[in-house]
Amino acid sequence: MRKNKNLSENMWKGASQQIFSNAKKLRENQTKAEEKLWLAVKDNQIEGYKFRRQHPLSIYIVDFYCHALKLVIEIDGGYHFKEEQQLLDKKRTADIEFQGLKVIRFTNEEIMFNLPEILDKIKLFINLEK
């Protein structure tokens, strides 16, 4: 699966085989919001950039990842509004950003009801990074 150690350290940040296995299961059981965003970003549809879904990064599996942009996109369901989960999400974001990556978050509702606006926000981020 991982041929080049340098590439694996850069792209997967040392994710274990268990994390890869869990990511595969998540790809097979996407939420409706994940599926909707995936249909909009797959096949380099956003400014020509490749996005991966349910991508292993260290001890985490991120919803979407663009290696070229060092960008993580997370989609938050209703449980993310609970105080305990917000603390966990804050730590997760800090851990991911510590690795030199950027994290942007959207809610399921934003994806389901405002997808064009979300895509515009992603494109804006990309254009600011160029």
Side-chain angles (χ1 to χ4, degrees):
M1 180 177 290
R2 294 186 265 170
K3 297 176 186 170
N4 180 321
K5 183 165 173 51
N6 256 352
L7 179 63
S8 71
E9 287 303 312
N10 290 333
M11 184 129 74
W12 294 287
K13 307 293 185 189
S16 70
Q17 288 301 320
Q18 184 62 51
I19 296 290
F20 276 90
S21 177
N22 292 347
K24 182 178 181 188
K25 290 175 189 168
L26 288 171
R27 280 191 296 276
E28 293 168 354
N29 295 294
Q30 298 180 95
T31 66
K32 290 187 185 305
E34 289 169 345
E35 184 175 356
K36 189 168 185 169
L37 183 58
W38 177 241
L39 290 173
V41 303
K42 72 178 189 173
D43 299 326
N44 304 354
Q45 293 181 78
I46 303 294
E47 307 287 320
Y49 286 96
K50 179 178 180 146
F51 283 85
R52 299 168 180 275
R53 62 190 167 118
Q54 301 304 331
H55 182 79
L57 280 175
S58 183
I59 63 170
Y60 300 110
I61 300 168
V62 298
D63 293 327
F64 296 91
Y65 178 61
C66 177
H67 185 63
L69 295 167
K70 306 288 187 244
L71 173 63
V72 170
I73 300 173
E74 294 280 72
I75 303 175
D76 296 339
Y79 72 95
H80 287 271
F81 298 112
K82 294 180 179 178
E83 186 177 346
E84 181 179 338
Q85 186 60 45
Q86 287 181 345
L87 292 172
L88 292 171
D89 287 346
K90 192 176 214 178
K91 180 186 180 336
R92 174 186 172 102
T93 296
D95 290 349
I96 291 169
E97 288 178 341
F98 180 77
Q99 298 178 56
L101 307 175
K102 302 264 193 227
V103 178
I104 54 178
R105 292 183 170 275
F106 302 107
T107 65
N108 284 341
E109 290 74 20
E110 287 176 306
I111 301 296
M112 296 307 293
F113 301 113
N114 298 314
L115 185 61
E117 183 180 311
I118 296 309
L119 296 176
D120 286 344
K121 287 180 180 180
I122 295 169
K123 289 174 188 175
L124 178 63
F125 173 88
I126 290 169
N127 289 319
L128 291 174
E129 293 299 307
K130 287 183 180 178

